[in-house]
Amino acid sequence: MLIRTIEKFLRQTGMPATKFGRLATHDPRFVLDLRNGRMPRSNTERRVESFIADYLGEQNVG
C-alpha cells in the first residue's frame, strides 16, 4: 500500500509529510489526505514511487 511506503520513507529520511507532498506531487496535503483515506490515481502512485526511488538513490550516492 502506498501510504505504508511513504510512512517508511518519512521515518527513514526525517522528511516532513508536507515537504514530501510538495516535492513528490506538488500538493503539501497529499500525505494527510492519504492518511484520511484518499485513494491516489495509478499515475500518481507511479510518480510517488519514482520520487522515493530517485531520492533514496541520490542519498546512497552522495
Side-chain angles (χ1 to χ4, degrees), residues 1-35 38 40 44-56 59:
M1 211 170 166
L2 184 63
I3 188 63
R4 289 185 184 151
T5 302
I6 293 170
E7 296 289 3
K8 181 180 176 186
F9 173 83
L10 295 177
R11 281 191 307 275
Q12 285 178 327
T13 62
M15 182 182 291
T18 52
K19 181 176 180 181
F20 176 86
R22 271 195 311 274
L23 293 174
T25 65
H26 306 288
D27 178 4
R29 293 186 45 89
F30 180 72
V31 176
L32 178 62
D33 289 346
L34 288 180
R35 290 173 178 163
R38 175 178 170 183
T44 303
E45 281 193 52
R46 286 191 298 273
R47 187 169 61 205
V48 167
E49 290 166 349
S50 177
F51 170 81
I52 290 172
D54 291 347
Y55 188 92
L56 293 176
Q59 295 297 311

